[in-house]
Amino acid sequence: MAAPMRRTLQLLHRVPCSSLTNAEASLDLRHPVPLSIPVRTKKRYFIPPAVGMKNKMAENIEAKIRAAGVVVKQEYMERPINISCTAGVYDAYIPPEGDARLSTLSKEGLKQRTEQIRQSAASQLAIRKIKGHDSLFKTKEFAEQAQEIFIEAHNALTQFNKAKLHSLVTERCYPEMTRGNRYKTIHWRFVESLEPPKVVQARCPDMVSKDNLYGQVTVRMHSKQTLAIYDRFGRLMLGCEEHPKDVLEYLVLERHLVNPYGCWRLHGKIVPSWAPAKDPVIKTVMIPGPKLRPEDELDSVNLQVPKPAAVQWYK
């Protein structure tokens, strides 16, 4: 078989290319297919790390990377902070017990008055610092301005105007005011002011550095308000729109003094320990009824719906 094939190849080398294709077609010659031999790869098994080598493996990898001369980017485990407002109320004002109920002519009222005069030294120093950055700051005018900010912020809350609410309250106060208000309808109204608002305390805390100053002013406000909260089913949960209540509040307003474009915003509210408990919230719950067969009717079943007890619920 080898001799005829060799002779045929010798004859093909002598003929031109044009006749070569004709000869291949006539002789039905086929080129040999390249031989492929499958190579068996190495078997790979999962080898669990040895006991106590979990943390050492990362150290070994870092050591090898440094030995190879590769620069590793340093990772900073830091959390971003917001410097437009502080994280809380600095040196919170402690309201005297029996405020708005005791007369200044009584023995207890005179004690409260003298204690306020003793604590006013730090407030006077803070007011001087605030006036150094805000020349238009005056305690009498600021108390009325704080009351207007309070009214506008609560009106924006009832209308769910987020953009306006962000301009009136700080980033710390915003989640406290909006938490739990989803799927609820809030009706709030400011009726009248029983006593003129007044500034009771002022502080100038700093954050990060000594030059980064913030102004915190506590305003006492005694007013008459109405509040009614309805759930998503339109049922009353808390309050009443027809009967206003006397409310004594201590509001904390804050401003970033170093920022030239900063403004006074509502930062928090001080609730004294002697304040009365809040009214219980009435929640709408589903009471499972009896399982009826197709031929039964609800009127024929003796069903007694129990009334849920009022539970004290804090927002």
Side-chain angles (χ1 to χ4, degrees):
M1 293 293 294
M5 182 63 70
R6 194 180 298 112
R7 185 177 180 184
T8 306
L9 292 174
Q10 290 176 359
L11 293 172
L12 289 173
H13 281 295
R14 295 176 183 176
V15 295
C17 294
S18 58
S19 59
L20 182 61
T21 55
N22 298 332
E24 287 180 355
S26 59
L27 294 175
D28 194 14
L29 294 176
R30 297 180 181 178
H31 296 284
V33 181
L35 184 63
S36 60
I37 302 173
V39 179
R40 188 174 182 179
T41 58
K42 181 182 178 180
K43 292 184 179 180
R44 295 177 175 84
Y45 299 97
F46 173 72
I47 302 174
V51 179
M53 294 295 292
K54 186 175 181 180
N55 298 328
K56 294 182 179 179
M57 290 177 64
E59 296 177 0
N60 295 339
I61 292 172
E62 291 180 1
K64 290 179 180 179
I65 291 174
R66 290 173 182 173
V70 179
V71 179
V72 182
K73 186 177 180 181
Q74 187 176 0
E75 296 182 0
Y76 297 95
M77 302 299 292
E78 297 178 354
R79 296 177 60 186
I81 60 173
N82 184 16
I83 63 170
S84 62
C85 69
T86 57
V89 179
Y90 177 79
D91 192 11
Y93 174 73
I94 302 175
E97 188 174 356
D99 194 5
R101 290 180 295 175
L102 295 178
S103 174
T104 55
L105 300 177
S106 63
K107 185 177 180 181
E108 292 79 5
L110 288 172
K111 287 182 179 180
Q112 293 178 5
R113 187 62 181 169
T114 53
E115 189 66 25
Q116 290 176 2
I117 294 173
R118 291 176 184 176
Q119 295 179 357
S120 62
S123 298
Q124 292 296 330
L125 182 60
I127 289 173
R128 290 180 185 177
K129 291 183 180 179
I130 293 172
K131 287 183 178 180
H133 293 82
D134 186 6
S135 59
L136 302 176
F137 180 82
K138 294 180 180 179
T139 54
K140 293 183 179 180
E141 297 178 359
F142 178 78
E144 298 177 357
Q145 180 186 354
Q147 186 174 354
E148 294 176 0
I149 293 172
F150 173 80
I151 296 172
E152 291 181 4
H154 282 73
N155 288 333
L157 178 65
T158 57
Q159 299 170 3
F160 293 99
N161 191 349
K162 296 182 179 179
K164 188 176 181 180
L165 191 60
H166 272 293
S167 63
L168 296 171
V169 301
T170 59
E171 286 74 14
R172 183 247 182 190
C173 183
Y174 181 83
E176 293 183 358
M177 290 185 66
T178 58
R179 187 182 295 115
N181 294 340
R182 195 176 183 184
Y183 305 124
K184 292 181 179 64
T185 305
I186 303 172
H187 289 231
W188 180 87
R189 184 167 58 92
F190 183 86
V191 181
E192 61 178 348
S193 181
L194 300 177
E195 295 181 31
K198 63 177 181 180
V199 176
V200 294
Q201 181 177 284
R203 293 291 184 269
C204 271
D206 55 71
M207 188 170 65
V208 181
S209 63
K210 293 292 183 180
D211 299 332
N212 192 25
L213 292 176
Y214 297 83
Q216 288 187 358
V217 180
T218 306
V219 179
R220 177 187 179 273
M221 194 174 70
H222 192 196
S223 61
K224 189 174 287 187
Q225 308 170 13
T226 60
L227 174 65
I229 301 177
Y230 299 89
D231 61 3
R232 57 179 178 173
F233 305 106
R235 296 168 183 169
L236 184 66
M237 295 181 64
L238 180 68
C240 180
E241 295 187 53
E242 299 177 356
H243 302 287
K245 287 188 175 183
D246 299 346
V247 183
L248 178 64
E249 294 175 309
Y250 300 90
L251 310 175
V252 180
L253 286 91
E254 186 182 84
R255 178 180 175 179
H256 194 192
L257 299 176
V258 182
N259 185 8
Y261 303 101
C263 58
W264 290 100
R265 296 184 295 173
L266 194 63
H267 187 62
K269 185 185 296 184
I270 297 173
V271 181
S273 59
W274 47 265
K278 295 182 179 179
D279 296 335
V281 175
I282 304 171
K283 292 187 176 182
T284 302
V285 296
M286 186 186 70
I287 300 175
K291 293 183 180 180
L292 301 177
R293 291 178 294 180
E295 63 272 10
D296 294 339
E297 293 184 2
L298 185 61
D299 298 337
S300 60
V301 179
N302 226 347
L303 178 63
Q304 294 180 357
V305 180
K307 294 183 179 180
V311 180
Q312 184 70 35
W313 178 73
Y314 290 95
K315 185 175 169 184

